[in-house]
Amino acid sequence: MVLVQVKPDGGGTYIWIIPVGPQASRLCRAQRTRVFTHVLQQRPLSGAEAVNALRPFYFAVHPDFFGQHPREREVNENSLKRLNGYLENLQKPGSCSVQPMKLTFFIRDTKDDERPDVLPSGFRSVSITLHTSDMLSTVRKVLASCSLPVDHMQDLKEGNKVSTSPAFCRPVRWDKSYYSFTGFRDPEQDLQQARRVEPTLCIWLRNNEPEASRKHISSLPRREELDRLKEELCHRFHLSDIRWQRSWGVAHRCCQLQSLARLAQQNPESLINLQGHTVVFSEESGMNAAGHVMLGTMDVHHQWTKLFQQLPSYRSVQQQTDWLKDRISLLLGGTQVVHVDQLGPVQPIAEHYRTLSTFHNNLMSRRLHLHPRSLHGLTMMLENNRSSPSLHEMGHFIIPTSCDPPKLQVFLQSHAPEARHRSLRRKKLQVDEDTVVRLCLQTLSLSSLSKEPSVSSTHMIRCCSRLMEQRPPLLQGLHLCVSHFYSVMQDGDMCVPWDWKS
């Protein structure tokens, strides 16, 4: 026998006993099988395996199969986005637990026997409450809640669950010989190959422009109807604007505006309190930190009407919120408290008021020595789950609600010059971005040009500048969105990565 000492990347030592002799080959194969079976059972379920295991579920709830049912399509689309976010949080290194989440899906019932939970439209509503802490349990929970088979998961043993040993946060990178020995695919090699075969912009446009043009032409009547409804509602009820929290399709937005228009026709008095407000269609109803009225897309007219009746009390909370902001600004040398949607989740006005009140009381407990206008022009964001202050790259201070006032004063004064520099750079980048977007619209004859919130101004400027240099002819008259991937949306909008290949 031969002793072979192996040190894996995660630390520790394994001793393999490799026999030598006539039966060496058979025994060696058996030992290797046991060793690698143990290794595979101890690792957590990967994201790719979770997606593959959920394939029957995706086929049952995917929004593309609900084209004639906009309400069910919208509910499934929103729930899928939240489920994907839940799965992504489970894969983050060091994440021990995530917040429980309740999801609702519509599933077409294909069984012959009548069921009491089947709606007249032929769909079955399924509610799923997720409070799992690992991928395997989450996948099983979703499939079981939808009465979908789990036979294809028999090879995923319970050993995939998180073990009682200390968490190993950094990724394991196996030696190339591991993949040669086991026959498994090397993820790094697959990633490099995918990058090599990524199409250039011109090739992708040539292959996908016909589909985008066809979808764009078919969406033109819906786009005109959307613009008409939006203008009519804003003019009739003196609304500041109508917006959408998520990137829903044109058909979904039309359905939401039509629902609001029906309510206005049936009960016009209920919308009087909306005058002067900005309406935002979102996942839940209420008022956000900016004072915008949020209409939950899953709520019925009765819930919207009840919200409209409560708007005077919401405005009272908003006035108290504004007063607290002024008081905090006076105590902190003119620093303004803001809430940037791109940097955090939507915050209801009541929660925003509680955060401001807690922070104001904390400041009043210790007297600060700051000149009233020494920090004028700077902005700050308050966070409840942060332990130490920081400075964001956009120039905003990010301050914990329970921050010690003397330490806060030292931090603000010492970082004020850098905060001003970053704020000026952000404003200049925004001006440059607006300029290059206007030029790109004119040069390429685009119908519209937008970007995903995760695309920075620097990346947007670089992308638009390269587009004007290349001037691809197949973009004329289309709606272009700068993102991180290639895609043709349901209304013909074309998404291209900001760092596309030429």
Side-chain angles (χ1 to χ4, degrees), residues 332 362-363 365-370 403-413:
L332 294 181
N362 186 35
L363 291 179
S365 64
R366 305 283 292 273
R367 183 176 179 83
L368 299 180
H369 302 281
L370 283 169
C403 186
D404 182 58
K407 294 182 179 179
L408 174 61
Q409 176 178 337
V410 173
F411 178 83
L412 294 177
Q413 290 177 329

Side-chain angles (χ1 to χ4, degrees), residues 8-51:
D9 189 44
T13 302
Y14 295 142
I15 302 296
W16 285 7
I17 303 177
I18 302 178
V20 177
Q23 298 179 343
S25 179
R26 183 174 57 188
L27 291 176
C28 188
R29 283 196 300 270
Q31 288 184 355
R32 287 198 300 263
T33 301
R34 288 195 296 271
V35 169
F36 286 111
T37 300
H38 174 76
V39 171
L40 291 177
Q41 288 180 351
Q42 291 301 320
R43 65 173 177 84
L45 194 66
S46 67
E49 289 173 330
V51 170

